[in-house]
Amino acid sequence: MELVTKDKKVTNAGLLLSDQGMLVQSRIFCTRWKGLVKGSIDGDAIDDKEYTGSIISLLENAEIFIKNHSRIGWEIKGMKRIEIEDYPVRAIREAIVNAIIHRDYQIIGSEIHIDMYDNRLEITSPGGMIDGSFIQNLDITKMSSMRRNRVISDIFNRLHFMERRGSGLTRIVESYSDYNIKPEFSSDVSSFKVVFPNKSYIQKSMVINEKSSAIIGNVVSDEDYFLIKMHKSLPSNITKLTHDKILKLFDKFTYQYDFKWEDVSEIFKVKKTRAFEIITLLLDSNLIEKSGTTKYKFKK
């Protein structure tokens, strides 16, 4: 497999696959930024990791980092909540694999960077296109497969991490076939970048804009109006069960009637402590307000 020479010396490909991480420039830096830009006014990095070792472990660790900082979002169709992944898992793996096997390992002091923001994920690798062209000027459906690092490409193929057909970029775009916004590719002489839009972020923005337009025209029902507020206010990581129970609570009391913790306890099938946790969540999300000492009401 060309990991050692005939005189028993380890090749560069062998070093990249060694657990010791002998080549410093093979590292991957992963960062989850707060907000939409690096070093935003709301804060800096939420989490950051530096991974070294075998390029196989780099792939695995990068995937774990992205999974740990991704959420299952949701959209509303009628009165149902449909769950949406932030990013398509297989397409993300494809992009990380491409970054590992096609990057330029001769650039000393360089590494792959994975940057996650609220609305997107960026994967940047050292080294531009092999032939000096710029990916943003090309039709990716007509590109021929070019491999900068043949040996590790063959190894990854044997491990079924990739295919030799050179169709990876097309599959990445196709993973957003149901969205108008697509992943973007860009390159220059020294780097290659893939940008994945956050599907949950896109969908939430679309729903809010559509519903807000309806409100302006005064054609939205109380239920639709409440769904808009839920989209805007509730954390996106609440469970589907909690989401559906909140809707059930609203259906029963709407904007007209007061309710108590006992009502929350009955609908959610929980005890007093948990009922007050739910009430606190709704208060913090500005969905309800106090209506007396022990009563609450949905806030319009």
Side-chain angles (χ1 to χ4, degrees):
M1 293 188 290
E2 300 184 58
L3 301 182
V4 294
T5 63
K6 291 180 180 179
D7 55 353
K8 308 294 185 183
K9 297 196 182 209
V10 180
T11 63
N12 285 333
L15 292 176
L16 289 171
L17 286 158
S18 68
D19 292 332
Q20 289 80 9
M22 302 293 288
L23 297 182
V24 178
Q25 65 266 35
S26 68
R27 297 173 299 178
I28 291 185
F29 287 1
C30 298
T31 309
R32 172 59 170 99
W33 299 95
K34 185 176 183 180
L36 304 181
V37 297
K38 293 181 181 180
S40 65
I41 58 174
D42 294 326
D44 204 357
I46 295 173
D47 188 19
D48 63 279
K49 294 287 189 298
E50 175 185 335
Y51 298 113
T52 60
S54 163
I55 54 176
I56 295 174
S57 71
L58 295 182
L59 170 61
E60 294 171 346
N61 286 324
E63 287 185 301
I64 291 171
F65 183 92
I66 292 171
K67 180 180 179 181
N68 289 342
H69 289 284
S70 298
R71 295 176 296 185
I72 300 296
W74 42 275
E75 66 171 314
I76 300 299
K77 289 188 177 179
M79 290 297 287
K80 294 182 179 180
R81 184 176 104 154
I82 309 299
E83 293 187 341
I84 308 168
E85 292 180 325
D86 280 357
Y87 304 102
V89 175
R90 294 183 65 181
I92 291 294
R93 162 168 278 215
E94 190 87 43
I96 299 172
V97 167
N98 284 343
I100 291 173
I101 66 173
H102 293 310
R103 60 151 297 182
D104 190 344
Y105 286 98
Q106 295 184 22
I107 303 177
I108 305 300
S110 64
E111 56 275 324
I112 294 170
H113 283 265
I114 296 177
D115 296 295
M116 299 183 70
Y117 304 87
D118 288 357
N119 67 338
R120 69 193 186 281
L121 182 155
E122 299 181 356
I123 301 176
T124 308
S125 54
M129 300 284 286
I130 301 174
D131 61 0
S133 60
F134 296 153
I135 186 69
Q136 59 269 29
N137 298 332
L138 304 176
D139 182 349
I140 63 171
T141 64
K142 298 178 181 178
M143 288 172 51
S144 59
S145 177
M146 293 184 290
R147 294 178 293 167
R148 176 179 273 118
N149 305 299
R150 179 183 56 80
V151 177
I152 60 175
S153 294
D154 289 341
I155 296 293
F156 270 46
N157 177 259
R158 290 169 186 257
L159 295 171
H160 305 292
F161 291 157
M162 60 168 290
E163 297 178 358
R164 286 193 177 97
R165 295 180 300 180
S167 57
L169 300 187
T170 302
R171 288 198 299 274
I172 288 173
V173 173
E174 287 175 349
S175 67
Y176 283 74
S177 60
D178 51 344
Y179 288 80
N180 291 328
I181 301 176
K182 309 292 184 186
E184 296 181 354
F185 307 97
S186 62
S187 66
D188 53 31
V189 295
S190 60
S191 66
F192 187 100
K193 180 188 288 187
V194 186
V195 180
F196 287 88
N198 184 318
K199 286 189 173 184
S200 300
Y201 190 94
I202 295 170
Q203 194 66 33
K204 188 172 181 179
S205 299
M206 288 171 58
V207 170
I208 290 173
N209 289 336
E210 290 172 2
K211 294 295 186 179
S212 296
S213 297
I215 289 175
I216 293 173
N218 295 318
V219 294
V220 71
S221 66
D222 281 349
E223 286 182 347
D224 283 339
Y225 185 82
F226 182 68
L227 286 172
I228 297 167
K229 292 194 69 175
M230 287 182 68
H231 260 295
K232 289 182 176 180
S233 305
L234 284 175
S236 59
N237 61 345
I238 67 167
T239 65
K240 185 178 186 302
L241 179 61
T242 300
H243 171 274
D244 292 344
K245 293 292 187 181
I246 292 173
L247 280 179
K248 187 174 181 180
L249 184 69
F250 177 79
D251 286 342
K252 182 173 182 179
F253 295 97
T254 67
Y255 291 115
Q256 299 182 45
Y257 307 105
D258 297 333
F259 61 89
K260 298 181 178 180
W261 74 263
E262 291 91 344
D263 300 307
V264 177
S265 176
E266 179 184 352
I267 288 177
F268 279 78
K269 307 298 182 187
V270 295
K271 294 183 179 179
K272 183 176 181 180
T273 301
R274 176 57 182 158
F276 274 107
E277 288 177 354
I278 294 165
I279 289 171
T280 300
L281 170 66
L282 296 175
L283 286 169
D284 291 344
S285 300
N286 203 33
L287 292 174
I288 65 172
E289 59 187 349
K290 287 189 175 181
S291 180
T293 307
T294 61
K295 296 180 181 180
Y296 304 90
K297 193 172 185 178
F298 281 100
K299 188 176 180 180
K300 193 166 186 178

